[in-house]
Amino acid sequence: MHPAPSVIFFSVFSGLGFGLLVWLGLGVPAVTGGSAFAFFAIAYLLAVGGLISSTFHLGHPERALKAFTQWRSSWLSREAWCAVAALVLMGFYGLGLVFFDARWTLLGILGALFSMATVFTTSMIYAQLKTVPRWHMPLTPLNFLSLSVAGGALLAGQVQGAILLIAIAGGIQIATWLIGDKRLAQSGSDMASATQLGGIGSVRAFEPPHTGTNYLLREFVHVIGRKHATKLRIIALVLMAALPVLLLLLPFNHFLAALAVLAHVAGVLAARWLFFAQAEHVVGLYYGKR
């Protein structure tokens, strides 16, 4: 699919923000007062900023509120409800920590659960799509959740936990790429099934269906060369996992910690760009692009 920047920023930054809220909701780090305010401010800037950026990809942003009406059938609607619930619950939880030096544990746990649910529902928007075999597998939500929790641990200053979780997230990312590469072939979709002409013989593209571009080609068919994809995967993995883990293993100082955060975010952005660029929507078969 065409990798829209607004969607990439949304999925990465909101994931980091809600990941940090998960840790804060569980009482990690155990902060109150001004320190708590700083952590919650970072979490809300990332989470809310990511959610706002997603509206720029809508054809009619003014209709975004309608997303709340389809929660029975739409993962997008469920995501919206979970996000609101998480932000409200964690808002009250944060007020207790910042202004009353009070830790309302149940509220924090509920907020953490809804924060995790928000990331999960975001991932299911993509994982539910049978038309994109690379996304349509259990590793997609695992990929989103692992990166969210790992990034949250990094932002929460949990060095030992972040090292382990970032390494796990890196392993899941590798598995997602390797297994995802085979998903289109394993789906059984090809030119014959795309055109429904397989019953009369071998099917091949004689001419493109259109002399120019169209909406489907712009939105759902993005081809990236294997050579370039491999380079980007290596860069993403080094920035997302290898470099942050190496920096966190060194004697701690705030500069190295900040560098680890920046490297991790840059790596996740690169990986998420590839997530969309290599989506391989089956409509590409009809145009002879797969």
Side-chain angles (χ1 to χ4, degrees):
M1 287 191 180
H2 183 71
S6 59
V7 177
I8 296 171
F9 292 149
F10 154 65
S11 61
V12 172
F13 291 119
S14 66
L16 286 170
F18 283 109
L20 178 54
L21 287 176
V22 168
W23 287 93
L24 292 172
L26 297 177
V28 181
V31 289
T32 56
S35 296
F37 177 82
F39 276 103
F40 274 90
I42 293 170
Y44 271 76
L45 283 172
L46 289 170
V48 176
L51 291 171
I52 291 174
S53 72
S54 68
T55 63
F56 291 104
H57 191 62
L58 299 175
H60 295 277
E62 71 279 2
R63 299 177 186 173
L65 289 176
K66 291 186 178 181
F68 290 90
T69 64
Q70 306 298 320
W71 58 271
R72 291 181 182 85
S73 59
S74 168
W75 282 104
L76 177 64
S77 185
R78 293 164 188 162
E79 175 200 44
W81 280 109
C82 286
V84 170
L87 293 173
V88 170
L89 288 169
M90 291 304 295
F92 283 113
Y93 179 68
L95 285 175
L97 291 174
V98 174
F99 295 105
F100 304 105
D101 198 20
R103 191 178 307 281
W104 298 322
T105 304
L106 179 58
L107 204 60
I109 292 174
L110 287 173
L113 289 174
F114 272 105
S115 296
M116 286 288 288
T118 302
V119 179
F120 175 74
T121 51
T122 299
S123 70
M124 286 304 298
I125 294 172
Y126 309 109
Q128 68 167 331
L129 296 175
K130 294 181 180 180
T131 52
V132 184
R134 183 184 290 274
W135 294 350
H136 189 59
M137 59 179 180
L139 277 173
T140 296
L142 278 177
N143 179 238
F144 275 64
L145 288 168
S146 63
L147 287 172
S148 175
V149 174
L154 188 58
L155 291 173
Q158 305 307 299
V159 175
Q160 297 304 318
I163 291 173
L164 176 61
L165 291 168
I166 289 173
I168 292 173
I172 292 174
Q173 182 65 77
I174 293 172
T176 301
W177 283 331
L178 295 179
I179 295 175
D181 286 344
K182 305 172 185 176
R183 291 290 294 171
L184 183 61
Q186 292 172 346
S187 70
S189 297
D190 54 20
M191 179 69 79
S193 65
T195 59
Q196 294 295 300
L197 297 174
I200 60 176
S202 178
V203 180
R204 63 182 178 85
F206 178 69
E207 286 186 343
H210 298 275
T211 56
T213 188
N214 61 17
Y215 174 81
L216 292 176
L217 286 171
R218 287 194 303 270
E219 291 294 321
F220 300 119
V221 180
H222 185 85
V223 179
I224 177 173
R226 186 186 300 271
K227 186 177 180 180
H228 295 297
T230 300
K231 289 180 180 178
L232 283 172
R233 286 181 178 183
I234 294 171
I235 292 170
L237 195 61
V238 168
L239 291 175
M240 173 205 306
L243 185 55
V245 167
L246 177 63
L247 291 171
L248 292 176
L249 287 172
L250 297 174
F252 179 83
N253 69 62
H254 292 290
F255 174 76
L256 291 180
L259 195 59
V261 171
L262 291 175
H264 179 72
V265 173
V268 176
L269 283 169
R272 199 56 50 83
W273 187 89
L274 281 169
F275 176 79
F276 291 101
Q278 293 190 294
E280 295 178 317
H281 196 291
V282 293
V283 75
L285 294 168
Y286 178 71
Y287 292 92
K289 300 293 186 179
R290 304 297 178 203

